[in-house]
Amino acid sequence: MTDATSQTGRSGAQPRKSLHVTDARTRRRNAAEARFRFYGAAAIAVSILALVILLTSVLGNGLGAFRQTFITMPVALDAKVLDKSGTGDIEVMKKVTTIGYAKVIEKALATALAEKGIATDGLTAKQISGLLSQEAAANLRNQVLADPALVGQTVDVKLLANGRVDGFFKGRVTMDSAKLDSNISPEQLELALKMREAGLMSLSFNPGFLFGGDASELRPEAAGLGVAILGSAYMMLIVLVLALPIGVAASIYLEEFAPKNKWTDLIEVNISNLAAVPSIVFGILGLAIFINFMGLPQSAPIVGGLVLTLMTLPTIIIATRAALKAVPPSIRDAALGVGASKMQAITHHVLPLAMPGILTGTIIGLAQALGETAPLLLIGMVAFVREFPDAPPEGFFDPASALPVQVYNFTQRADPAFVERASGAIIVLLVFLLLMNAVAILLRRRFERRW
Amino acid sequence: MNDMRIADRTVSSDTAKMTARGVQVFYGENHALKDVDIDILGGTVTAFIGPSGCGKSTFLRCLNRMNDTVSIARVLGEIKLDGEDIYDKSVDPVTLRARVGMVFQKPNPFPKSIYDNVAYGPKIHGLTKSKAELDQVVETSLKKAALWNEVKDRLHAPGTGLSGGQQQRLCIARAIATSPEVLLMDEPCSALDPIATAQVEELIDELRSQFSVVIVTHSMQQAARVSQRTAFFHLGHLVEYGETGQIFTNPQDPRTESYITGRIG
Amino acid sequence: MNDMRIADRTVSSDTAKMTARGVQVFYGENHALKDVDIDILGGTVTAFIGPSGCGKSTFLRCLNRMNDTVSIARVLGEIKLDGEDIYDKSVDPVTLRARVGMVFQKPNPFPKSIYDNVAYGPKIHGLTKSKAELDQVVETSLKKAALWNEVKDRLHAPGTGLSGGQQQRLCIARAIATSPEVLLMDEPCSALDPIATAQVEELIDELRSQFSVVIVTHSMQQAARVSQRTAFFHLGHLVEYGETGQIFTNPQDPRTESYITGRIG
Amino acid sequence: RDNIQIAGSSTVLPYATIVAEAFGENFDFPTPVVEGGGSGAGRKKLCEGVGENTIDIANSSSRIKQSDIDLCKTNGVDEIMEVRIGYDGIVFASDIAGPDFAFTPTDWYNALAAEVVKDGKLVPNTAKTWADVNASFPAQDILAFIPGTKHGTREVFDVKVLEAGCKASGAEEALVAAKGEEDGKKACLALRTDGLSVDIDGDYTETLARIAANKNAIGVFGLSFYQNNTDKLKVATMDGVVPSTETIASGDYPVSRPLFFYVKKAHIGVIPGLKEYLEFFVSDDMAGPEGPLAAYGLVSDPELAKTQEAVANETPMGPLN
Amino acid sequence: MSIGLITLIVLGLAVLGFILGRQRALSAVGGDPRTLHSLPGYYGWSVFLFTAVPALLLLVTWAFVQPTALNSHVAGMIPAADVASYGSTQLVMADVRRIADGLDAVARNAGLDETGLAALRADLTDMRGRLAEVGVALGSNVAPSVLEAAKEYRSLSGTLRLGMALAVLLAALAGLGFALWRIDPRQRARNLVEQFTLVLLAGCSLIAVATTFGIVASLVVESVHFFKLYDFRDFFFSLTWSPRFGGGSELGLWPLVWGTLYVSFIALLVSVPVGLMAAIYLSEYAGKKVRAFAKPAIEILAGIPTIVYGLFALITVGPFLRDWFAQPMGLGSSSSSVMTAGLVMGIMLIPFVSSLSDDIINAVPQSMRDGSFGLGATRSETVKQVILPAALPGIVGAILLAASRAIGETMIVVMGAGAAAKLDVNPFEAMTTVTVKIVSQLTGDTEFASPETLVAFALGLTLFCFTLALNVVALVIVRKYREQYE
Ligand SMILES: Nc1ncnc2c1ncn2[C@@H]1O[C@H](COP(=O)(O)OP(=O)(O)OP(=O)(O)O)[C@@H](O)[C@H]1O
Ligand SMILES: Nc1ncnc2c1ncn2[C@@H]1O[C@H](COP(=O)(O)OP(=O)(O)OP(=O)(O)O)[C@@H](O)[C@H]1O
Ligand SMILES: [Mg+2]
Ligand SMILES: [Mg+2]
């Protein structure tokens, strides 16, 4: 029953459309499509652009922190000054304070300058020694106490230069600004230039920034991130070990097992609400529960880790629940149909499919936890901590700082040299974050699939 | 192709494997199944026929409590397996489903390899002792489901990358790999060509010697070919249930007759 | 039920709506379709038959470039619609798919209401001017797909809550609501009871007056009933293509004959 | 616990860290842990009770309040030692490239107050430039960054600048006349709300950054902060006096305040090194006029000797007067 | 034996139990796992649980109870006079513990044995000096009673520790034995293990609830103090926020709430479209390589400390907006503004929206896309009309998370929007948020027991209730529009 007439009629009434000729409506739709796609690309571009801008400013400011100006010179460790008893008894030697060592260094610097034939006219002794960091004496003292046999010898030592001098070589301080600066004079900078020419002074990689403790405002050049890195690492360890399993477990329960009733609705709303609780409130909670009630110590990574865990949990739970919800029910049916228990269906099939979402939640949650300062404010971690915590698990209870705290502290300090260190600390924090998340990112890529 | 031969009908009706009494199912407000009484006999193939949307799948899913997973579904009535109420509190649906296997209407392979799809059931039920034995089970199941030749070279390719009919057979293989006592098959041959259909029908007949099989089908010929008993559903009612030969040759209810002769749908 | 009547076969072969030349498809390493040449005629129903996994769906998906969405699929060769290469760079697959509609093998209703499922196509193509007109289109489409009676009271219930066969008809309704020039149907009746099948076949016959229809089926009877031309695929090859009557009564290739008489699968 | 724990004012924090650092270097005791967190929170923590998990010392930029002492009492902290470590100068500074200013409290009052006296009448403040306030000033837009109300510095600013200016300009009289004794005095502290006076809740670095972004602004800083940034900031005189450690110690420069820390006496002799730390802090080597604290900007207390004696004797503080 | 060691031993026993249990189950059925009710591994796990869980619970309880008991026992030995000289029992006990810890080192250092240690007399030896030698610093000399207490403490804690080890190990062994004995082919080991796991899962979700209780409890107490000092009507109904240092402040809530809403709104206005479009682009358009790079890159935005954003707002964005928008449009000349903070915060929040949404969008089955493409829909139509509705619950979750972060953020607001509370609609005016004020009032120099500080708790509590209401609304919306696929 071919209907030839209707066919010709149709082709007569309606001219043949070509695939290449699009009608107005299709053009509009295609334009909408192109626009949509462009918006998407633009959104990516905007995000990446923002990232690039932020990163360049951080890198531009912070890379300098990894290099530092050092003064390398021979120092005669006078036994008469440093070991008054002459017995090499360490207890006696400890009586010599950093002030005594500062004098030794001062003398050594004068000698070194004289030896190189650098004139120091017009500069007082205080101004000359002002080129050195106040940390130098402490460094030397530690060196000597660690190896008392050095006393009486002349040793080559590498000492930190003052932050302003360092700033001068990094371009932060100029002759003009030095004129106005009450902490350094252009003459001192001239001297520093000469010292550099003579090879006494040089910029080199500064391991102290990564491995040293914090320093006070008088010696920005000595401030390091060691304690903060350890503190952050301890806290992240705690957060990862607690938040991920607990978060995933709670989500599984709520999404898959909990009866759907008013109570679980309440819990659900409650969890999303927890995400909206300002982080400082978690600090209040931590102070009340972990420190005042449970008697855990102040400023300790264990408390910080627990508080951050509670803070990260909602993020991980929300992400995981969303991911679990997105797994099509037919997959669950298939597993149940062959006699798998609900638990098996979930662990064997649903979780692997939800894994990308779970990992994303983890990545974002950890990023948030790693960068958070406000809750730490109330549990004593926003502090000046110079002593390194022990190895875990005891170290979890020792005072420690954290990377974002260090950033926060650095930005509050008066000396402009801390600006560079704050950015340096941010770089370290970001590297830390990337290292921490690299595994999750790689894993997520493996688990991503369409069905 | 005009195959209306009636399978041989030696059925001892006292070996009821599963019994359903007064089963009703509601999907929210929608009363999908109304007061169904039925006995599924052991060692028998039972066919469910009826127009689309009449409740065949719904009833099938009641038999191994798959409806538990549909949040809006509500099941009333009593269903017994070997005399035990399967909706009893103390019954573990997992054990139940291990004994009452199911092939779904829409093929739903796991997003895993073909091998893993079939091996999953035996693995979780501990049916095999060694890898070799498991390989054996996978191979036999795939062979029985008439899929082995097509996939033997790509056992580790994803099951979701198969053609529609292949997926359907994969799901059959997956279900029989766990050797359930009762096998529920929801239109297992809908996407299969005649030869594959014949092979699956052969499989069903073979299974019957040990298990009960319930099969939903839209093909009257198929029902006639493979089943010993047939149930006819219509608009949520079980209209007629009896020996296949009798249903097809001598239906009691006028609706059955109309359906079989192609007048109502 | 023994229906082998051959539809009347007056086809003017010069009105080729679509032509395929040397089409090859690879899924990764897997060479799924090998060198297929075929002409789909205008105003004709073409049936694709062949054992499961032979490449029928794959070829169907080539005809409206649905294979573009399978990342591992690679299509070679040339396919033309009204003389224009559809794989040409300048061709917009969207326009193509609006003209070449498709019903998938696995029913895939959108997670929307039944109404929205059907109204989706007309809406995006701007086929209707008013809400009333849209309602009209939805109703006609559902009626044509023989689903109207079952769903008219719950048009705003989700399409995913339908039974398997209902979903299949919903997908048919969704596809015809956009009135494509060529309609590709992948086993549209696999989950349908005989009466619904008959209604859909009637629909196909009706559609033929204006459009070309390509239908994949496993039922030889159905192919014989509705199609004017039949193509037989086997292991990725197009073995034989010709008038339905000729293919069924006088196949040229021994493989075709074996398949039709039920010997290879 | 082996280390000393200190918390409190962020103004005292830098001094405390300098001492803590030197203490850790030269003594066998571990370096104390010094927290910021604000004077109020520090004193609260101090008064939480006696014992290992409470802090030993609270830094404070203002004197302890009776409510804190009461809290201490209820929690069993009976004896507290008060140690005054010196004075903090508060200076007004603007961008280094800008003009010089010589302020009096009256100028500040007239620039920032909500209501000022003009021609003997109380009127809402409409001054837009400094020249409007005082004809001798350049016509630079008024924009002042003053400490937020959370800061102890704000209290000093209120009392020593605004109240003084209020009185001197005659506004207090007019306000008291208009609103009564109580409310009138309070009204002296009411600032204009049109955005020319900006509260800074952050720290001095934020103020500095804001000045970098708004070159014509004037900010309030601590003396030590200014001394570290003399290349970026230009300091203004107050009542004709240039702020410096000397002028503040002598009392010539009016805007300054004492800094304290409070020690829980019960912890002395229990927490290792606590006594040594206290003595080290107030020693001439640290807190004296030549010591590192002074070098950093702390105005050394002329009565340091008295403090040293009190620390040596572990004299607890008497009731507040 | 340290707690860590005991834990390890218990876990070791549990592992052993696992192996034995598994084997026993298998041998009970002659090595044929088919006749077992559950997989052999489940029998192993059930033994593992019976061994480890009671023992570890005992360990934890013991570890909590022992110090308290020991302390009260030993504290009783010290005369009241000595306690008084220390100030409090707690402080004496701190010293006692320190000395007790140090005694071991002293003994080692001086080559003393137990009797030698016992003979140590505080009034005869310079205990402080000897302890200092071994690195135990004490604040004062050691009173004789304290030394005796320390000795008692040391020996008793040694005994108790041993007792604990024995008890815990016994418990573990008993559990092991019992569980092994119970093993029977018909035992529902899987159900047992799963029941246990379920309890564990439920316990985990209770942690979230417990957190809420903790938060509310820790806020309520101080809030009550606040409302005793400050009239709640002024707090809830006044439109002025102007705290004073010395008291007499006006602490009206609304300017802060308004600021919070305004800033968060602008932040979401930036982050939701950008994040959502980024997610759509990543999952629907981008190639594998772009995706593998861009997604983690954008996530870095979430990890940059907020202080960097704050400075960015303060130094770059603020002046830019002032010079190019606010001043030319006559909307004021403030460099810190709601707009600045909102914009910058929006950037920070992009990954919260984009990454989570991307995962969810990716999880929508391909057949949905196919269905839409098959009807001739463009990609954007598919995304907008099919995929987004299907992914809605997840996306709403992501947006809520972003909103939550926006509400909770301080540093960006302080530096970008300023600290002045104001009720204004001009987005180029400085304003501030609830959270900022919570932080600043809590960390300020005002006395703690004043309304100026305590208001932080009341603010916290109010914000908590406020966000709770918002979340309820969000839940209702999701429920209403949720579309479940397949
Ligand atoms: N996405 C895919 N990835 C990999 N291989 C595929 C994919 N889809 C199909 N194939 C393979 O391509 C071949 C042809 O598949 P196709 O779906 O075209 O078969 P079919 O003829 O439609 O079969 P059926 O009747 O079972 O639907 C089969 O071997 C199949 O396994
Ligand atoms: N998940 C569900 N939610 C709501 N209604 C449902 C659901 N599943 C099925 N229904 C309805 O219940 C009735 C019976 O459906 P069922 O799937 O049992 O039909 P069926 O007999 O299997 O049909 P078919 O042959 O088309 O698969 C139908 O009206 C259907 O729309
Ligand atoms: Mg069905
Ligand atoms: Mg197919």
Side-chain angles (χ1 to χ4, degrees), chain B residues 53 55-58 105 186-187 216 218, chain C residues 163-165:
Chain B
K56 306 179 293 296
S57 302
T58 302
Q105 184 165 13
D186 203 344
E187 305 193 28
V216 172
H218 281 300
Chain C
S163 83

Side-chain angles (χ1 to χ4, degrees), chain A residues 33 273 326 341 360 444 451, chain E residues 194 299 359 366 380 467 485:
Chain A
E33 165 73 16
N273 191 36
S341 69
T360 299
R444 181 174 63 187
W451 62 83
Chain E
E194 286 183 352
E299 277 161 358
D359 288 326
Q366 180 64 31
S380 59
T467 48
Y485 33 81

Side-chain angles (χ1 to χ4, degrees), chain B residues 6 20 36 75 84 86 113 127 144 151 163 245 255-256 260:
Chain B
I6 308 292
V36 172
V75 179
E84 288 168 317
I86 64 169
S113 74
L127 300 185
K144 281 186 183 163
V151 299
S163 83
R255 285 171 292 178
T256 318
I260 291 173

Side-chain angles (χ1 to χ4, degrees), chain D residues 51-70:
Chain D
E52 268 204 300
N53 56 350
T54 59
I55 60 167
D56 311 312
I57 301 178
N59 294 330
S60 180
S61 59
S62 53
R63 270 203 98 180
I64 196 164
K65 300 289 186 312
Q66 190 56 46
S67 68
D68 292 323
I69 295 178
D70 295 343

Side-chain angles (χ1 to χ4, degrees), chain D residues 5 24 32 34 40 48 71 74 83 85 102 111 142 184 235 240 251 284 290 297:
Chain D
Q5 287 192 337
V34 193
E48 227 137 51
L71 179 66
T74 42
V83 180
I85 60 169
I142 297 175
V235 76
D284 287 330
E290 298 300 314

